[in-house]
Amino acid sequence: MTTATLSIDLGAIVRNWQALDATSTCETGAVVKANGYGLGAPVVGRALVRAGVRNFFVATAAEGATLRAAIGNGPVIYVFSGHMDGDTGAIRDAALTPLLNSVDQMLRHVEALPGAPFGIQLDSGMNRLGMEPGEWSAVRDIAIAQGPVMLMSHLACSDEPDHPMNAQQLGTFHEMTDGLDIPRSLAATGGTMLGTDYHFDMTRPGVGLYGGLPFIEAEPVVTLDLPVIQVRDVAVGESVGYANSWTAPRASRIATISGGYADGLIRAMGPRATLYSGDVPCPVVGRVSMDLITADITTLGHDPSHLQLMGRHQSIDTVAAAAGTIGYEILTQLGLRYERVFSE
């Protein structure tokens, strides 16, 4: 079998949510955008509903519709992108709650779906989504009269606890929302860990649920085992892979693994990546190609049936560091060719 196995521990996701919930002084939601960070939003969503999650966050209305079909009626599903042109049917049919980002979105929503719930996203300094302070000041009274169910913003530097931007955004969010009897949300995973000042009425952890930083105490969620297709001996001075990028400094035993950048295993990680056979590290040699990776198993002493990239010895963030990126990208790029095995 040449299909790699991606094992996903739903129980670990639930326990990570429970741990973050225990640190919150308020309601705790869950972010399941990008298909549950690449792990399967329907399956992840159902597991979290069973654990008691009642508020979910997705990026788009299409994601929200998929999640609603999986988890049924009851839980609230917030949409970060708000009410885009063309979203009205999905928002209505899937009972979604858009987080409106502009006056134009507000007009679209109240005209197309009068009385339907909505929240408002405010820009507290990230300059990405949401109403800026001046815009909010101009429409605040009108907006409040329409009955928003949430006011939210997003922190730019919450993974750096000492960054001055955190306190700056907290202050701006207070200035924009204090005195309003409307639930508020500012903290994702990093913000949740900054402390109770950032919690307000709802936290909304994302990457921490899936075993990623900055939630250092998170349980690992994914294990990736890659089958070995072929093993060969390479003599001193022979090269391996495209562009002769690695030349054997000794007589070497090289395993060719089923997996590559088409499976989300980023090409840039090649020179610094390591695979494991049990407790023995097997460095990647040569370039990561579309479907194949080569690894040096000389010190292993036997030919393995598979090698592991993520699991007991390496987290998503360790692999990300080898590729010069972040755990979010590793998770969300995990390919469709994997056989996904879920456990609880």
Side-chain angles (χ1 to χ4, degrees):
M1 184 172 179
T2 57
T3 302
T5 301
L6 179 65
S7 301
I8 300 165
D9 188 342
L10 296 172
I13 294 175
V14 167
R15 290 187 293 275
N16 288 336
W17 179 81
Q18 290 169 334
L20 289 163
D21 180 50
T23 71
S24 299
T25 55
C26 58
E27 182 81 11
T28 303
V31 180
V32 293
K33 62 183 180 177
N35 192 27
Y37 282 60
L39 302 184
V43 181
V44 170
R46 286 192 292 265
L48 289 171
V49 166
R50 291 193 295 271
V53 179
R54 292 295 175 263
N55 294 274
F56 291 87
F57 294 82
V58 296
T60 66
E63 288 184 349
T66 299
L67 182 63
R68 178 63 74 200
I71 67 174
N73 298 325
V76 179
I77 301 175
Y78 295 95
V79 181
F80 286 129
S81 63
H83 191 149
M84 298 287 289
D85 189 24
D87 283 349
T88 300
I91 291 171
R92 179 191 60 238
D93 296 344
L96 308 178
T97 302
L99 294 161
L100 307 178
N101 293 288
S102 66
V103 174
D104 288 344
Q105 285 197 351
M106 182 173 297
L107 292 172
R108 179 181 298 125
H109 186 73
V110 299
E111 289 176 1
L113 297 172
F118 69 93
I120 296 174
Q121 187 159 188
L122 302 173
D123 177 17
S124 57
M126 193 174 186
N127 285 311
R128 194 176 63 168
L129 279 180
M131 297 187 191
E132 296 183 356
E135 182 183 16
W136 173 237
S137 178
V139 302
R140 174 171 151 161
D141 292 343
I142 297 172
I144 292 170
Q146 303 301 316
V149 298
M150 175 180 285
L151 301 176
M152 67 148 290
S153 190
H154 193 60
L155 295 167
C157 302
S158 62
D159 57 343
E160 301 178 55
D162 297 327
H163 199 293
M165 187 67 170
N166 295 320
Q168 178 181 322
Q169 285 192 261
L170 178 63
T172 300
F173 190 59
H174 273 295
E175 291 170 3
M176 297 176 79
T177 62
D178 278 357
L180 301 176
D181 188 21
I182 302 169
R184 296 181 285 181
S185 177
L186 181 62
T189 300
T192 300
M193 300 176 68
L194 289 177
T196 58
D197 287 348
Y198 291 82
H199 291 178
F200 291 92
D201 299 290
M202 186 183 297
T203 57
R204 44 179 209 277
V207 72
L209 305 182
Y210 308 99
L213 295 173
F215 185 26
I216 297 173
E217 293 80 14
E219 289 188 35
V221 169
V222 296
T223 301
L224 181 58
D225 292 299
L226 303 162
V228 175
I229 300 174
Q230 188 175 13
V231 179
R232 71 181 63 244
D233 292 314
V234 175
V236 175
E238 286 191 302
S239 62
V240 172
Y242 284 121
N244 294 358
S245 62
W246 182 83
T247 300
R250 61 177 180 178
S252 302
R253 190 77 170 154
I254 302 298
T256 300
I257 316 302
S258 179
Y261 57 75
D263 304 291
L265 306 180
I266 297 172
R267 184 173 178 269
M269 77 178 185
R272 294 170 293 277
T274 302
L275 298 164
Y276 278 84
S277 178
D279 296 326
V280 180
C282 302
V284 170
V285 296
R287 290 185 176 175
V288 173
S289 56
M290 184 180 291
D291 313 298
L292 302 170
I293 296 173
T294 43
D296 186 349
I297 61 169
T298 308
T299 60
L300 189 56
H302 68 277
D303 295 345
S305 61
H306 68 276
L307 294 174
Q308 189 172 92
L309 179 63
M310 287 181 282
R312 186 158 57 96
H313 291 287
Q314 290 192 135
S315 69
I316 56 173
D317 291 288
T318 307
V319 174
T325 185
I326 55 177
Y328 298 77
E329 185 174 9
I330 297 298
L331 275 175
T332 58
Q333 295 300 308
L334 290 173
L336 297 177
R337 293 193 293 198
Y338 299 132
E339 179 189 8
R340 282 169 160 76
V341 177
F342 295 91
S343 63
E344 295 198 38

